[in-house]
Amino acid sequence: MSTPPSYFEDMYRGAADPWHLAERWYERRKYDLTLAALPRPRYRRAFEPACSVGELTLRLAERCDTVLACDRVGSAAETAARRTRGLSHVEVRRLTLPRQWPPGTFDLIVLSELLYYFDLPELTELLGKAVSALEEGGTLVSVHWNHPVAEHLRTGEEIARLLASVPELALACEHREEDFVLQTFGRRGADGTAPCSPAAAEGLT
C-alpha cells in the first residue's frame, strides 16, 4: 500500500520543515544540481507536486514563467504559499495525487522525493497522468533518495529503472551519487523523436 497520509501529517505536526530542507547543504546542493540539469534556460509552465515548504519552488520560479506547486499536507502548502507570496507567477495548492491531478499541460514537471511513497497501481496512475500532461518536447525531472527507508516502497535506483521503461520518455541527463539519483527526460514527439540536446538547440551539432 502507498504510504498513508498520517505519516506526512505526523511529520509536519512535529516541525514546520521536518526534513530541514532550508538548512542542509545536502538539500541546497541537490536543488542546485536539479536546476543545472534542466536542458532549457526557461520554461513556460511548471508543475511541482510534493513541494513541501517551497525550497525548490523558489528556485524553479527563477526559471519559469508560471509555477504550479502543491502538497497534500495543508501546513506545508500554507508555508510554501507564504514564502512565495511575493511571486505573482507562482501558485500553491493543496492537492492529493494522483487523484487530484491539475488540469492543463506543462512543459516542465518536477517529481522530487515523491515517487517512492506510492504503491504500484497509484504510481502507474501518477506516471500516466504526468506523461499525458507533459507537452511534446517538455522536460520531466526525477530526483530521489537512494537509501532504504521504512516508509519508502522503492529506492531511487528502482525508480530510475521504472522511468527508463516509459516509452514516451527519452532520457536526457542522468546524475547518480551514493545518496540520490537525478534524471531528466524529454517527452518524445508523436513520431517517437526525442527532443534535441541543449547543444543541438543552439546549432552546435
Side-chain angles (χ1 to χ4, degrees):
M1 294 178 61
S2 298
T3 304
S6 58
Y7 167 73
F8 304 99
E9 293 163 359
D10 290 344
M11 291 289 288
Y12 283 97
R13 189 174 294 115
D17 182 7
W19 286 278
H20 304 283
L21 304 180
E23 302 170 13
R24 288 182 171 142
W25 164 244
Y26 166 80
E27 299 291 351
R28 297 200 306 272
R29 175 178 175 272
K30 183 185 66 177
Y31 294 144
D32 288 343
L33 288 168
T34 300
L35 270 293
L38 296 179
R40 298 187 197 171
R42 193 152 190 88
Y43 288 84
R44 179 186 62 82
R45 187 177 188 230
F47 178 43
E48 183 204 0
C51 67
S52 186
V53 296
E55 277 296 313
L56 182 55
T57 313
L58 289 167
R59 290 166 170 80
L60 291 172
E62 298 177 0
R63 298 275 295 273
C64 303
D65 296 337
T66 61
V67 178
L68 172 59
C70 74
D71 203 278
R72 70 184 302 166
V73 179
S75 63
E78 289 169 5
T79 299
R82 183 173 63 253
R83 298 184 70 203
T84 58
R85 189 165 294 151
L87 302 174
S88 60
H89 63 300
V90 176
E91 179 184 3
V92 181
R93 301 180 190 171
R94 183 180 183 182
L95 298 175
T96 300
L97 302 183
R99 177 172 51 87
Q100 295 177 308
W101 189 273
T105 61
F106 306 89
D107 59 350
L108 174 62
I109 297 177
V110 180
L111 306 176
S112 178
E113 311 296 353
L114 169 68
L115 298 181
Y116 36 51
Y117 292 117
F118 296 97
D119 61 21
L120 188 56
E122 284 199 323
L123 178 57
T124 301
E125 180 183 356
L126 189 152
L127 290 179
K129 290 183 175 180
V131 169
S132 296
L134 187 63
E135 298 169 3
E136 288 189 8
T139 302
L140 184 143
V141 182
S142 170
V143 191
H144 289 88
W145 181 250
N146 198 37
H147 297 287
V149 176
E151 293 79 14
H152 294 182
L153 303 183
R154 49 192 58 82
T155 64
E157 289 284 356
E158 291 168 328
I159 291 169
R161 289 196 294 269
L162 179 63
L163 287 171
S165 70
V166 178
E168 296 91 345
L169 300 177
L171 182 64
C173 175
E174 188 170 66
H175 177 84
R176 294 172 182 262
E177 298 188 7
E178 179 180 353
D179 298 322
F180 69 94
V181 180
L182 162 64
Q183 295 174 306
T184 65
F185 296 86
R187 176 69 155 88
R188 296 182 184 275
D191 61 355
T193 303
C196 61
S197 70
E202 294 194 310
L204 300 178
T205 62

